[in-house]
Amino acid sequence: MDRQPAVYILASWRNGTLYIGVTSDLMARIVQHRAGSFGGFTRMYGVKRLVWFEMADTMEGAIGREKQLKNWRRARSN
C-alpha cells in the first residue's frame, strides 16, 4: 500500500483535549495512538478519537496545513 501524507486531529472526548499531527501512514498512526505506543501528550491526556483528517499531496503540504491548524484558536464557552 502506498503511503500518503495526512494531517489529523485527535480528541480525548467531545469538547476535550485536541491533538494535531501529521503522518505518512494515517491508519498505522491511529493504531499507535490508541495502543498508547507513544508516551507524552496523547497518552497523558487520553487523546485517541480521530475527529478529522485531510490527505495531502506532499509531506511539505501536510506540514504546512498542520502549522496553519495549530495557529487556529478554539472558541471558549462560558
Side-chain angles (χ1 to χ4, degrees):
M1 180 175 173
D2 292 333
R3 293 177 182 230
Q4 185 176 3
V7 60
Y8 62 96
I9 299 176
L10 299 177
S12 55
W13 63 83
R14 184 180 174 105
N15 297 322
T17 303
L18 297 177
Y19 174 82
I20 300 172
V22 66
T23 184
S24 62
D25 188 347
L26 183 60
M27 294 306 294
R29 181 58 54 92
I30 299 307
V31 169
Q32 291 170 335
H33 280 296
R34 289 183 177 169
S37 299
F38 303 119
F41 185 86
T42 58
R43 190 164 163 189
M44 181 184 306
Y45 290 96
V47 181
K48 298 179 180 181
R49 183 181 303 212
L50 180 66
V51 295
W52 178 88
F53 71 93
E54 180 177 291
M55 305 310 272
D57 293 329
T58 65
M59 186 56 78
E60 292 79 15
I63 292 169
R65 183 70 167 135
E66 176 193 30
K67 288 179 181 180
Q68 183 182 41
L69 292 171
K70 285 185 175 181
N71 284 327
W72 287 1
R73 297 291 177 243
R74 190 167 28 162
R76 293 187 181 263
S77 60
N78 292 336

